[in-house]
Amino acid sequence: MATQYMLGNEAIAHACCEADLDFASGYPGTPSSEVIDTLRFQKERDFYIEWSVNEKVALENALGASWTGVRCLVTMKHVGLNVAADPLMTSGYTGVRGGLVILSADDPFAHSSQNEQDSRIYAKFAGILCLDPSNLQEAHDMMKQAYGLSEEFSLPVLFRPTTRICHSKSDVKIDKCGQEHRKGSFEKDPSQYVVIPVHTRILHKKLDEKQASLAKRLVESGYNFCEVRGKTAVITSGIAAEYVKEIIPEDVSFAKIGAYPIDSEWLKGFVSKHEKVLVVEELSPVVEEEVRQAAVKTTVFGKKDGCVPYEGELDPERTALAFEKAGFKHSKNYPHPVPAEGLPPRPPILCAGCGHRATFYAMKKVFGKSAVYPSDIGCYTLGIQLGTVDTTICMGASITVGSGISHSGDESDVVCTIGDSTFLHTGIQGLLNAVYNGANMTVVILDNRITAMTGHQPNPNTGLTAKGETSPSISLETICRACGASFVETINPYDLTSMLNTFKSAKSTKGVKVVISRQPCVIASRKQGIKRRHYTVNPDACIGCRACVRFGCPAIEFRDEKSSINELCSGCGVCSDICPKGAIIPEGN
Amino acid sequence: MTESFDLLIVGVGGQGTILASNIIGEACILEKRSVRSAETHGMAQRGGSVETHIRIDGIYGPLISPGGADLIISFDLLEALRYRHFLKEGGIIVSASGIVVPVSAFQNNLEIPSEEWILSRLEDVNLIKVDAEKAAREAGSILSQNVVMLGAASHYLPLKKETLLEAVKMLVPKKTVEVNEKAFILGFERSEQTK
């Protein structure tokens, strides 16, 4: 036993090692990515590990491995679970042999996500159990026990931390990593693993029959816990339980839901001992709906009557406000100070020297303001600040949304952008479909050779596996041609002139044109020791026209009617090409 | 009820707020104290405004509510102003005196916030200002500004200076231990002078 200061995702990864993990797969997505990243950077690793091309692929890989009897982990974020929903919905029917834990990290307040959906609903939908930790120690302990629970009920376990679990740190007690590993062996059993209707009808019934004993087991396990202290009660779940504990008075009863399905008899027993119950949880009213069903004479407060917000994340202050709205007393005073106004905002921006910025600049120069620019999920979504991101909905949707617009009768140029990892995730099908069905659009693949936004995980385009072993990198050009595209051009975003020429020729060609803009991510290049000469502004030549400022690079500043370049410069040199007066030159010239 | 010492570290993505918070967290482990913290991840490395909440002796959730922070350590003067509403009445802000002007200001032709303008809006706050860049250069690397700030803030942290220094040595890259030790001491001294 040792105590370490750990990130939630690190504690979760360590728990998997303590539980003798044999197989791990996943697709990166903030806030879940560091789980696989921690596992793959382990010095002594004796389990299989991969970054899969998408979440459906990751889950199916893990499900297959679990059927051979090995312990498996698959990780993703809430929106990734949508991609994996197809196998998920049937995985409860087939069940598992080796423990299978599906980690899906939720993101209340959408810190880095396109929506605020609740993974707990998926677990209910699929009829599998769900573990919902409220702090880091519990996240660690639950994850370790999850494999045993999965094997006990032959069901996948959905493990659902939220951002404030994944990306918070605390002192965590950990144990030694396990030494016992299994070797998979598949035993044929079509009645279990082939879900033709005649098998499915039986499997569905079996799954339903497991539910009652499962709910009871979760109460016995202590995950669903209650303490009667008075006539009013607060029922809570996840990280909200910590906020509640911080402010709850001693004479108010407390219940915490750490696992689903909730045993309805147990819940009814607790609720009926109280006159008033407040349910405090983030995202959807999952617990609240069950509490309302269980309540006979008890008054229930929560999201449905406006005491707890549906949107955003909670914190101690917002939890206290929910108490006040429900007429509950709490034990703290919050001063509600007002933030300073009138400050220039500081949103995240594309890095100095990022190839995406230069590509966006050239695209806009050639296709203009009237073109429609569908985009996708990645660093490049920040291109919204440059006016080249008109739509973003989910992974892979730039090409498909773009082809829809192109077939709609809208005569604008359609120029969509997608990253290399996202293209491999779900972009290929979109391209195949767009070419085959005769869309008229330009597809720009922003190829920085890595999955940058989530922390530089390798993908099949990087030429490295999750283990760090080299592997032949795929050819985006060949894939695009194989999808039927005849116009496939590769450009270097640091070469403005040739980029403008390629976009002009794409603009004048009919059909689906693919432009691959390739330049390694600047952060990844810097880590690899690649250095370029910085640029500087000759103040005598600078006329203060702001052309370079509009480029939006954080290395370019503007004071006293002149531009200057700061130490963030990574030496891409694109601003030098943009300057109409040749005032931007390499340092030392 | 147990009360924690609530600290907010703020700055601009890429300035080393996470390393600074790790040093404090590790120091808590060395002193066998409980600690909870919450970090900004991912997009933050791309120059955005970042905040890390740390609750020393914390036993509940990691988030500090506005008006609840005992101490704010800021790596940028503008960010000190942006997060000042988190400060408890009577709390202290230890801030670097430098300002990284947000790109949005240049691009949208907004007024560039000057040091005087920011300071005038922080007049009612107990503010300790440190020229972290200068101290870091003196220590031997501009990258050690985050450790300078920790040294400067160490007067107001409920952790022993020796423990903090030990945590610094544990967490910074091996080649830079000497530079960072010096940076911590310089920060410690500079902040003392302004008191």
Side-chain angles (χ1 to χ4, degrees), chain A residues 3-5 7 34 164 167-171 239 242-243 245-246 314-317 334-335 337-349 351 379 382 452-453 456 523 546 549-550 552 554 557-559, chain B residues 1 3 12 21-22 25-26 29 34-39 41-43 45-49 55 59-63 65-67 76 78-79 81-82 85 100-104 106-107 109-110 112-113 117 121:
Chain A
T3 303
Q4 276 188 27
Y5 184 57
L7 188 69
E34 295 84 2
R164 294 297 175 192
H167 284 173
S168 68
K169 282 187 173 161
S170 85
D171 45 306
I239 190 95
E242 297 295 299
Y243 307 145
K245 278 190 214 158
E246 186 164 352
L314 294 170
D315 64 10
E317 187 189 25
Y334 291 98
V338 187
E341 281 177 3
L343 309 186
R346 199 191 294 277
I349 46 169
C351 301
C379 294
L382 296 171
M453 184 175 62
H456 301 97
I523 297 180
R546 307 181 79 101
V549 175
R550 281 190 293 274
E557 301 188 359
F558 193 81
R559 284 192 185 87
Chain B
M1 191 174 13
E3 283 292 334
V12 182
S21 76
N22 283 349
E26 199 58 53
I29 299 288
S34 65
V35 57
R36 303 285 181 269
S37 74
E39 304 176 342
H41 271 243
M43 299 298 270
Q45 70 188 351
R46 287 136 181 92
S49 168
R55 310 186 77 183
I59 54 167
Y60 302 116
L63 293 182
S65 292
D76 181 283
L78 179 61
E79 296 312 299
L81 179 55
R82 197 186 303 283
H85 63 288
V100 176
V101 179
V103 180
S104 69
F106 296 123
Q107 271 204 297
N109 230 341
L110 306 175
I112 295 172
W117 181 77
R121 299 186 66 179

Side-chain angles (χ1 to χ4, degrees), chain B residues 51 85 184:
Chain B
E51 55 182 308
H85 63 288
F184 186 92

Side-chain angles (χ1 to χ4, degrees), chain B:
Chain B
M1 191 174 13
T2 323
E3 283 292 334
S4 51
F5 181 91
D6 293 345
L7 160 69
L8 202 67
I9 304 182
V10 301
V12 182
Q15 285 185 328
T17 51
I18 289 190
L19 178 62
S21 76
N22 283 349
I23 290 167
I24 290 171
E26 199 58 53
C28 290
I29 299 288
L30 290 171
E31 293 193 6
K32 297 196 176 359
R33 299 164 73 160
S34 65
V35 57
R36 303 285 181 269
S37 74
E39 304 176 342
T40 322
H41 271 243
M43 299 298 270
Q45 70 188 351
R46 287 136 181 92
S49 168
V50 297
E51 55 182 308
T52 297
H53 298 225
I54 307 178
R55 310 186 77 183
I56 300 170
D57 298 329
I59 54 167
Y60 302 116
L63 293 182
I64 301 167
S65 292
D70 296 279
L71 174 66
I72 293 177
I73 303 176
S74 178
F75 292 0
D76 181 283
L77 206 53
L78 179 61
E79 296 312 299
L81 179 55
R82 197 186 303 283
Y83 290 97
R84 67 157 285 177
H85 63 288
F86 271 92
L87 198 67
K88 193 181 265 180
E89 205 168 331
I92 296 168
I93 299 182
V94 180
S95 177
S97 53
I99 306 164
V100 176
V101 179
V103 180
S104 69
F106 296 123
Q107 271 204 297
N108 305 323
N109 230 341
L110 306 175
E111 197 170 337
I112 295 172
S114 68
E115 186 174 341
E116 297 72 43
W117 181 77
I118 296 173
L119 289 177
S120 73
R121 299 186 66 179
L122 287 169
E123 252 173 7
D124 54 335
V125 171
N126 196 350
L127 173 74
I128 314 289
K129 205 157 59 89
V130 186
D131 191 340
E133 192 182 327
K134 193 174 160 207
R137 278 189 206 284
E138 262 179 63
S141 166
I142 183 123
L143 297 175
S144 66
Q145 287 182 62
N146 53 355
V147 176
V148 169
M149 292 308 298
L150 277 187
S154 64
H155 298 280
Y156 314 101
L157 283 168
L159 292 159
K160 290 191 195 86
K161 182 187 160 199
E162 295 72 34
T163 324
L164 283 165
L165 254 174
E166 196 180 333
V168 168
K169 286 188 224 166
M170 285 167 70
L171 292 180
V172 300
K174 277 212 175 75
K175 284 183 200 162
T176 66
V177 167
E178 221 168 291
V179 168
N180 279 297
E181 257 182 289
K182 205 170 160 195
F184 186 92
I185 302 293
L186 282 175
F188 181 83
E189 288 167 358
R190 297 287 150 88
S191 151
E192 217 168 23
Q193 281 166 15
T194 55
K195 265 206 289 187

Side-chain angles (χ1 to χ4, degrees), chain A residues 409-432:
Chain A
D410 189 318
E411 286 173 10
S412 319
D413 281 321
V414 175
V415 188
C416 75
T417 43
I418 185 165
D420 52 321
S421 186
T422 311
F423 179 72
L424 298 174
H425 179 282
T426 34
I428 297 173
Q429 289 84 353
L431 180 62
L432 182 63

